[in-house]
């Protein structure tokens, strides 16, 4: 009754509109919930793959030594120091003592690391005319 | 001397100035529209309110309201019956007319053709729903769905922020009951107004061009104006609905996302959304195609073109032609004022929906979510995420919510495209 007080002959009623709005919200939620579930499954599968890979990778070689060039890269150090400073409240000073490259996280091989043949094929197909 | 003044008078009467200042003949409406165009130009240039779109929209509005310019006049095709003499000449092979001849049931016609205005031709891209999906292609190339993949719960926040669409749709229908003269919104019109709450310009234009093209100008202006005003509209609502403690919640760092996941994401989203809602195919499909361009890493040229050159060209066409639909007759209506008001309602409810959903999630989740990121669910990428970051840092300067807010932010883009697909299915 409360939804029909505005109804008129040729005018859409609030009751009908409410139903349609409800349908819309339910469908949007359903679609995004399914997507959310699938993404979550991606994460689980990815995570379990990493865990499965870990025991086999116990005798990992020692991490490559950080090159002197990377450590002494003044611009990188300056940029990181500036970022750290920007993140802190005024009046607090920090000193960046050491910067080392992060280890590459697990997961699939980056696309850009392709073989020479694959790289040549991509180059042939994507180079300017 | 008299002839000279007659010529001057004739020149004046054939000019746009004469039409514009002929107030008795409705010239005042054009004057008002030109003033509105100036205000929008001022907001775009001086205040930098979404200038990339507001500027072409405002200029399109200015162009189409200059009398006699005919820049948005449609192409005219008509058939004029040939006289008996003309038919005789034509059959004898003498055709000194420039018009082509059309024959039907033994009768002969001249096919008269009047060229339309340049913006009318460009407008066909809006009318047939071509530009918004192309804009989505560029957006897809520029979007990183990493934060969303890293935290899939963000999708729920993106869905909750679509509450603004539903409430505004209901609000528009409820206004019918007030009995305001000249204000009766049909379902199609109400759905087009509601989509303003998606805070997504191309989606709003796409849906409106399909459901209520006569409201395109008003809805585009409302959508882009409010998107520019997100930093003003959202913070009071966010603060009203959250406590200081909630605003200070620090969120865990997002997990890294592998390249494979980023590549699979657009493919799966396309499959699910398009199979569920075929009407959302053009928007979601193009968004995800763009994203696949970016994430695959094998078509850098296409990706760069889509996110730069193509996007810029389409933005010019889209903005100018949408602005040109706002002529005095369609824009200066009581409905326009109500659309502007309802647009504000849409943004407010969308923001509230996202924040409240985040609070609800905190009741059931061990890992607490800062409710401020919920407000970013209203698309408006990346402005809404920046607002979450800013408001969060006001409470705790060490709190960095930007990347967390990008999840619901890009989820909102998908959510609004899905919502548009549902509305198109229901009312299209």
């Amino acid at each position: 009754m409360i939804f029909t007080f505005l109804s008129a002959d040729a005018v859409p009623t609030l009751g009908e509109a409410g139903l349609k709005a409800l349908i819309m919200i339910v469908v949007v939620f359903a679609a995004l919930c399914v997507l959310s579930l699938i993404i979550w499954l991606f994460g689980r599968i990815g995570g379990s793959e990493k865990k499965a890979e870990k025991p086999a990778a116990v005798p990992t070689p020692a991490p490559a030594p950080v090159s002197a060039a990377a450590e002494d890269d003044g611009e990188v150090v300056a940029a990181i120091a500036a970022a750290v400073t920007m993140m802190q409240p005024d009046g607090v000073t920090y000193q960046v003592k050491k910067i080392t490259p992060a280890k590459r996280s697990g997961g699939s091989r980056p696309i850009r690391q392709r073989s020479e043949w694959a790289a040549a094929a991509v180059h042939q197909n994507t180079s300017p005319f | 001397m008299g002839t000279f003044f007659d010529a001057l008078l004739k020149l004046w009467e054939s000019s746009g100035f004469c039409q514009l200042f002929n107030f008795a003949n409705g010239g005042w409406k054009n004057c008002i529209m030109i003033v509105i165009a100036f205000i929008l130009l001022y907001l775009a240039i001086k205040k930098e309110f979404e200038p990339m779109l507001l500027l072409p929209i405002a200029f399109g509005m200015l162009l189409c309201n200059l009398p006699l310019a005919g820049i948005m006049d449609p192409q005219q095709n008509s058939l004029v019956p040939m006289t008996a003499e003309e038919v005789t000449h034509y059959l004898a092979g003498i055709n000194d007319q420039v018009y082509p001849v059309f024959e039907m049931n033994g009768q002969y016609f001249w096919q008269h053709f009047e060229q339309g205005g340049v913006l009318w031709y460009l407008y066909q891209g809006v009318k047939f729903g071509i530009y918004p999906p192309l804009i989505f292609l560029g957006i897809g190339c520029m979007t990183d769905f990493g934060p969303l993949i890293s935290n899939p719960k963000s999708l729920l926040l993106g869905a909750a922020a679509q509450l603004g669409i539903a409430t505004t749709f209901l609000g528009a229908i409820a206004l019918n009951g007030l009995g305001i003269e000249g204000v009766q919104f049909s379902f199609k019109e109400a759905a087009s107004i509601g989509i303003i709450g998606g805070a997504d310009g191309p989606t709003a234009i796409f849906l409106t061009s399909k459901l209520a093209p006569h409201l395109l100008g008003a809805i585009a202006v409302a959508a882009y104006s409010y998107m520019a005003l997100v930093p003003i509209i959202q913070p009071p609502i966010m603060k009203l609905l959250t406590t200081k403690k909630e605003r200070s919640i620090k969120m865990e760092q997002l997990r890294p996302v592998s390249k494979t996941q980023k590549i699979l994401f657009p493919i799966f989203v396309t499959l699910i959304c398009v199979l569920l809602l075929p009407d959302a195919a053009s928007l979601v499909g193009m968004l995800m195609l763009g994203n696949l361009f970016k994430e695959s890493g094998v078509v850098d040229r296409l990706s760069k073109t889509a996110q730069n050159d193509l996007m810029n060209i389409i933005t010019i066409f889209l903005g100018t032609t949408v602005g040109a639909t706002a002529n005095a007759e369609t824009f200066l209506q009581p409905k326009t004022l109500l659309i502007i008001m309802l647009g504000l309602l849409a943004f407010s409810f969308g923001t509230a929906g996202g924040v409240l959903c985040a609070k609800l999630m905190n009741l059931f989740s061990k890992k607490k979510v800062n409710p401020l990121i919920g407000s970013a669910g209203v698309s408006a990428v990346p402005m809404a995420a920046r607002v979450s970051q800013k408001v969060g840092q006001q409470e705790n300067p060490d709190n960095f919510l930007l990347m967390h807010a990008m999840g619901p932010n890009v989820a909102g883009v998908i959510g609004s495209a899905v919502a548009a697909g549902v509305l198109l299915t229901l009312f299209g």
Side-chain angles (χ1 to χ4, degrees):
Chain A
M1 195 63 188
I2 193 165
F3 288 116
T4 53
F5 74 103
L6 290 170
S7 64
D9 291 342
V11 178
T13 65
L14 203 54
E16 284 174 275
L19 189 66
K20 307 245 178 187
L22 187 68
I23 291 170
M24 189 210 80
I25 282 288
V26 169
V27 174
V28 170
F29 261 96
L32 296 192
C33 280
V34 172
L35 282 178
S36 179
L37 190 69
I38 287 173
I39 298 169
W40 179 75
L41 282 173
F42 277 172
R44 298 289 288 183
I45 293 164
S48 61
E49 275 175 5
K50 276 180 209 166
K51 279 176 192 168
E53 281 169 10
K54 259 191 178 173
V58 169
T60 45
V66 178
S67 69
E71 279 193 335
D72 296 337
D73 194 334
E75 280 185 20
V76 174
V77 173
I80 293 171
V84 170
T85 310
M86 282 297 291
M87 286 160 62
Q88 301 309 324
D90 292 341
V92 181
T93 54
Y94 286 83
Q95 186 179 17
V96 178
K97 292 193 168 178
K98 190 181 179 187
I99 294 169
T100 51
K103 286 177 190 170
R104 181 182 295 157
S105 59
S108 61
R109 191 174 64 146
I111 289 287
R112 289 178 195 282
Q113 282 186 0
R114 54 176 64 88
S115 69
E116 286 72 16
W117 284 110
V122 169
H123 177 73
Q124 189 181 16
N125 286 308
T126 57
S127 59
F129 298 105
Chain B
M1 200 65 181
T3 317
F4 175 72
F5 281 113
D6 282 349
L8 272 184
L9 190 65
K10 203 173 177 183
L11 192 66
W12 167 253
E13 281 171 353
S14 65
S15 74
F17 282 112
C18 179
Q19 301 287 322
L20 192 65
F21 296 120
N22 185 356
F23 286 179
N25 204 20
W28 61 274
K29 288 182 179 177
N30 292 67
C31 289
I32 292 176
M33 289 306 295
I34 289 168
V35 171
I36 293 173
F38 285 162
I39 293 169
L40 292 178
L41 281 172
Y42 171 78
L43 291 175
I45 297 166
K46 186 75 179 170
K47 299 286 178 185
E48 294 190 25
F49 281 5
E50 289 282 334
M52 294 281 275
L53 267 151
L54 210 51
L55 196 149
I57 285 176
F59 206 80
M61 195 183 275
L62 176 68
L63 280 173
C64 83
N65 284 290
L66 295 175
L68 305 178
I71 203 150
M72 195 60 179
D73 285 352
Q75 178 182 301
Q76 302 282 351
N77 293 312
S78 56
L79 294 176
V80 178
M82 290 166 77
T83 61
E85 191 184 359
E86 284 170 340
V87 172
T88 314
H89 279 208
Y90 173 71
L91 293 176
I94 308 163
N95 182 7
D96 53 357
Q97 294 276 349
V98 290
Y99 302 117
V101 176
F102 178 74
E103 191 255 326
M104 189 169 62
N105 299 332
Q107 280 194 306
Y108 291 86
F109 301 88
W110 296 117
Q111 289 186 47
H112 280 221
F113 167 79
E114 279 179 42
Q115 202 166 349
V118 64
L119 290 186
W120 183 84
Y121 289 105
L122 294 177
Y123 175 69
Q124 303 312 303
V126 178
K127 191 176 173 184
F128 295 114
I130 297 167
Y131 297 152
L134 287 177
I135 293 268
F136 259 50
L137 180 76
I139 293 171
C141 288
M142 291 193 281
T143 306
D144 178 11
F145 285 104
L148 176 63
I149 302 169
S150 181
N151 182 14
K153 281 188 288 186
S154 322
L155 274 162
L156 299 179
L157 299 175
Q162 308 313 315
L163 187 71
I165 298 177
T167 46
T168 310
F169 169 73
L170 286 173
I173 297 295
L175 279 176
N176 289 344
L178 297 180
I180 304 169
E181 199 172 330
V183 179
Q184 289 288 318
F185 290 115
S186 66
F187 272 141
K188 288 184 176 186
E189 289 173 329
S192 302
I193 297 165
I195 202 69
I196 298 173
D200 198 329
T203 308
I205 290 169
F206 179 78
L207 189 73
T208 309
S209 66
K210 302 269 181 191
L211 297 182
H214 55 288
L215 298 181
L216 197 55
I219 287 175
V221 167
Y224 282 109
S225 303
Y226 287 129
M227 275 163 66
L229 292 173
V230 155
I232 296 167
I233 297 169
Q234 285 197 319
I237 300 165
M238 293 157 78
K239 287 177 182 169
L240 187 73
L241 296 175
T242 53
T243 63
K244 188 175 170 62
K245 192 181 168 189
E246 285 172 328
R247 292 197 292 274
S248 305
I249 292 174
K250 272 195 170 184
M251 293 180 66
E252 283 182 18
Q253 198 175 351
L254 293 170
R255 70 172 173 83
V257 177
S258 73
K259 195 86 183 169
T260 313
Q261 286 176 325
K262 284 189 174 181
I263 290 173
L264 288 176
F265 178 78
I267 299 169
F268 274 90
V269 172
T270 307
L271 281 174
I272 291 163
C273 290
V274 175
L275 289 176
L276 184 69
L277 280 166
D279 281 327
S282 45
L283 287 179
V284 176
M286 294 303 261
L287 179 73
M288 293 301 145
L289 173 64
N291 191 245
L292 193 59
F293 280 171
K294 173 180 181 276
E295 299 299 348
S296 68
V298 292
V299 284
D300 278 351
R301 266 175 47 195
L302 301 189
S303 176
K304 280 177 188 163
T305 303
Q307 64 182 281
N308 295 307
D309 309 338
L310 180 67
M311 180 105 161
N312 292 341
I313 290 168
I314 299 297
T315 302
I316 295 168
F317 290 173
L318 185 76
T320 317
T321 54
V322 164
T325 60
N327 57 42
E329 282 71 33
T330 57
F331 198 86
L332 292 181
Q333 301 280 341
K335 277 184 177 180
T336 304
L337 203 60
L338 289 170
I339 288 169
I340 305 281
M341 283 163 58
L342 286 166
L344 183 62
L345 187 79
F347 269 65
S348 306
F349 273 93
T351 305
V355 173
L356 292 175
C357 181
K359 285 173 71 121
L360 189 69
M361 281 162 66
N362 279 345
L363 295 178
F364 303 102
S365 174
K366 285 179 192 167
K367 293 177 184 172
K368 297 293 177 196
V369 173
N370 190 317
L372 295 179
I373 69 165
S375 66
V378 294
S379 306
V381 184
M383 187 91 82
R386 278 192 209 144
V387 171
S388 300
Q389 158 79 4
K390 200 177 166 189
V391 177
Q393 281 209 322
Q394 281 171 1
E395 295 301 335
N396 180 358
D398 293 339
N399 207 355
F400 294 94
L401 295 174
L402 187 64
M403 286 316 286
H404 296 287
M406 281 309 290
N409 210 189
V410 293
V413 179
I414 301 174
S416 55
V418 171
V422 179
L423 293 172
L424 208 52
T425 308
L426 289 174
F427 308 116

